[in-house]
Amino acid sequence: MAGSHESLSETHIVGDHTNQSMVRAEECLALAQRQIAHVGVGDAAVPYKVVRTHLSGTYVHASLGGEGRILLDGRWRPHQAGMVSLAPAHVLHAFHAIPSKRWQYCWVRYLPTSPRSSIRFMAPVMAQFDPQPLNHAILGFMREFHAGSNTSSAMLWIDLIEHYISRFAEPLQREDRLRAVWEAVQTDLAHPWTIEKLAAEAKISGEHLRRLCQQSLGRSPMQQLTYLRVQFAAHRLAMTGEKIEDIAQQVGYQNPFAFSNTFKRMTGFRPSQFQTRMGARKTADML
């Protein structure tokens, strides 16, 4: 559908047939105070295309109608009405319109300094979730902003936006067994985890754990483990000067080649390339 990761480069194409409306933190104190870079709504058609080779802050995208495509966790996926995705910081992320189809959506992008861009929100999520309440909250906020209302009034709408994102983005908080598993994993990413060991942490069978993860996260337990490891590694590569080999061992990879291959599949870059880019790019990407 979209070719290999090698063909992807930083891109931001809107086109004459795409309509978007947004409010940015630079123009709205209420957004800046909540560490939200921008919110908006759109109705897209070809050639609409966005590729972010360094997503500096967490991005939430909700499909309201039609269909588009999103590159998340290393693979292209259809994004249709009733689907919501969360792309964490420090990953390769892209989305585009499909020929002969339109795509209606809303979004929220966080600043790199936001708690939602922190290590706690490292794994991508894509799942069925009613996007309309989030859309209405964004539209309400935008109307309040354009009407020139005060910051306190705008904050009420932002509270609603945050409420709906929390309901989507924190599925582990609603499932104690999953929370116990991933809290244990995050305290020791280097441990040689297996599906049996993960299930033992949850005190359920491996098959039951698979079902719970699929329902809550849209992926298998071992896929979630890989995502947590790679995203922690990306965070360390972006924020520290540690050696790649040391970071690989911190997340359970004794073989640096296996780590490099997995990291590239997830982020689009080899660890050395990623570390070089992060060192040269300290200013937040605000597109």
Side-chain angles (χ1 to χ4, degrees):
M1 166 79 61
S4 70
H5 289 177
E6 299 292 345
S7 65
L8 294 175
S9 59
E10 198 75 20
T11 306
H12 192 260
I13 300 171
V14 177
D16 295 336
H17 301 293
T18 292
N19 302 308
Q20 292 193 131
S21 178
M22 74 175 76
V23 178
R24 296 178 176 271
E26 303 96 296
E27 55 191 345
C28 177
L29 178 61
L31 285 180
Q33 289 178 342
R34 292 300 179 83
Q35 300 183 68
I36 296 175
H38 45 82
V39 302
V41 296
D43 184 355
V46 170
Y48 178 68
K49 181 179 181 181
V50 174
V51 179
R52 297 189 180 102
T53 56
H54 169 48
L55 182 62
S56 58
T58 289
Y59 182 90
V60 177
H61 190 105
S63 288
L64 306 169
E67 181 178 353
R69 290 288 185 272
I70 282 186
L71 177 65
L72 189 65
D73 62 47
R75 56 197 172 108
W76 285 96
R77 308 193 202 182
H79 214 268
Q80 302 167 325
M83 298 183 72
V84 181
S85 63
L86 181 148
H90 310 310
V91 301
L92 175 65
H93 180 232
F95 44 92
H96 61 69
I98 300 173
S100 76
K101 292 187 178 182
R102 297 200 66 87
W103 187 21
Q104 297 79 42
Y105 49 84
C106 61
W107 77 85
V108 179
R109 178 156 182 195
Y110 289 89
L111 291 167
T113 52
S114 167
R116 292 199 186 276
S117 299
S118 72
I119 202 167
R120 178 167 165 255
F121 286 88
M122 290 190 303
V125 180
M126 180 182 289
Q128 292 288 333
F129 189 82
D130 183 4
Q132 290 301 334
L134 175 61
N135 181 51
H136 292 318
I138 291 173
L139 291 173
F141 161 73
M142 293 174 68
R143 177 168 292 194
E144 197 82 25
F145 170 77
H146 291 302
S149 299
N150 59 35
T151 299
S152 61
S153 297
M155 283 291 194
L156 295 175
W157 288 104
I158 295 176
D159 285 342
L160 276 177
I161 291 171
E162 287 278 74
H163 170 73
Y164 292 125
I165 287 180
S166 292
R167 286 176 59 186
F168 167 74
E170 300 176 14
L172 300 185
Q173 302 305 313
R174 303 192 303 272
E175 177 51 72
D176 289 340
R177 289 166 295 186
L178 288 184
R179 185 170 66 248
V181 170
W182 302 119
E183 284 179 351
V185 167
Q186 287 182 309
T187 62
D188 191 2
L189 286 166
H191 185 76
W193 294 102
T194 63
I195 185 66
E196 291 77 18
K197 290 180 179 179
L198 294 173
E201 290 289 338
K203 297 180 174 57
I204 56 177
S205 70
E207 186 56 37
H208 193 181
L209 179 62
R210 289 189 186 93
R211 287 197 298 270
L212 285 177
C213 282
Q214 197 64 44
Q215 291 168 2
S216 296
L217 301 171
R219 65 179 63 87
S220 72
M222 299 309 288
Q223 286 174 328
Q224 174 72 357
L225 173 64
T226 298
Y227 297 145
L228 291 175
R229 284 173 164 170
V230 169
Q231 293 310 312
F232 181 84
H235 177 81
R236 300 301 293 175
L237 288 167
M239 305 302 292
T240 76
E242 294 177 80
K243 293 181 179 180
I244 293 171
E245 294 81 0
D246 293 340
I247 293 174
Q249 291 185 2
Q250 289 176 33
V251 295
Y253 286 87
Q254 302 304 315
N255 184 328
F257 297 105
F259 170 67
S260 181
N261 289 337
T262 302
F263 191 91
K264 185 177 187 299
R265 177 172 59 82
M266 287 285 297
T267 69
F269 297 96
R270 297 289 179 187
S272 57
Q273 296 172 316
F274 186 88
Q275 193 171 51
T276 299
R277 288 173 61 85
M278 296 305 100
R281 188 172 182 174
K282 296 296 185 181
T283 302
D285 165 17
M286 293 291 295
L287 284 177

